Amino acid sequence: MRWLKGVVLAVITLIVVLLGMLFAVRNQQTVPLDVIWAELPPASLSLWLLSALVAGVLLGMVAMSGLYLRLRTNLMRTRHDNQQQRKELDRLRVQEFKEAP
């Protein structure tokens, strides 16, 4: 089953790469990019669009990293509390056996 997952992932990756190459080949027109504070030099449309995609993905990852770190910290704290409670429960079980007549 694991090899099937790998094959499916490889096929999807290949399709995405081929679509990206097709997109880059079909959009070779050079266009200048005019942002609010500057006008960037002319480059191919596919370059501008793919760089915007990459910038968006990176900004999304940075934005989600705070939430990820907070959740990971909560998970570690909960695991630590769980481990402490298990130790206390084991200690109480042993104490109960010692006190039994």
Side-chain angles (χ1 to χ4, degrees):
M1 193 66 172
R2 189 173 199 145
W3 65 271
L4 182 62
K5 182 180 176 184
V7 168
V8 170
L9 184 61
V11 168
I12 290 173
T13 303
L14 182 63
I15 290 171
V16 169
V17 168
L18 289 175
L19 286 175
M21 290 173 56
L22 180 64
F23 177 76
V25 168
R26 302 271 303 169
N27 292 294
Q28 290 295 321
Q29 304 90 344
T30 58
V31 292
L33 185 62
D34 188 14
V35 292
I36 296 172
W37 60 87
E39 185 172 328
L40 300 174
S44 69
L45 180 62
S46 61
L47 176 68
W48 289 127
L49 290 174
L50 290 175
S51 62
L53 174 68
V54 168
V57 167
L58 291 175
L59 285 174
M61 289 173 61
V62 168
M64 291 303 296
S65 65
L67 177 64
Y68 173 77
L69 290 174
R70 184 174 53 213
L71 289 174
R72 184 137 175 102
T73 302
N74 286 342
L75 177 64
M76 297 305 273
R77 186 178 302 125
T78 304
R79 283 183 178 169
H80 179 72
D81 290 344
N82 188 11
Q83 185 179 16
Q84 294 292 15
Q85 290 172 357
R86 285 180 187 270
K87 284 181 183 179
E88 183 177 355
L89 182 61
D90 289 341
R91 185 182 55 81
L92 290 173
R93 284 180 179 158
V94 169
Q95 182 180 356
E96 181 180 314
F97 286 132
K98 288 181 180 178
E99 292 177 356

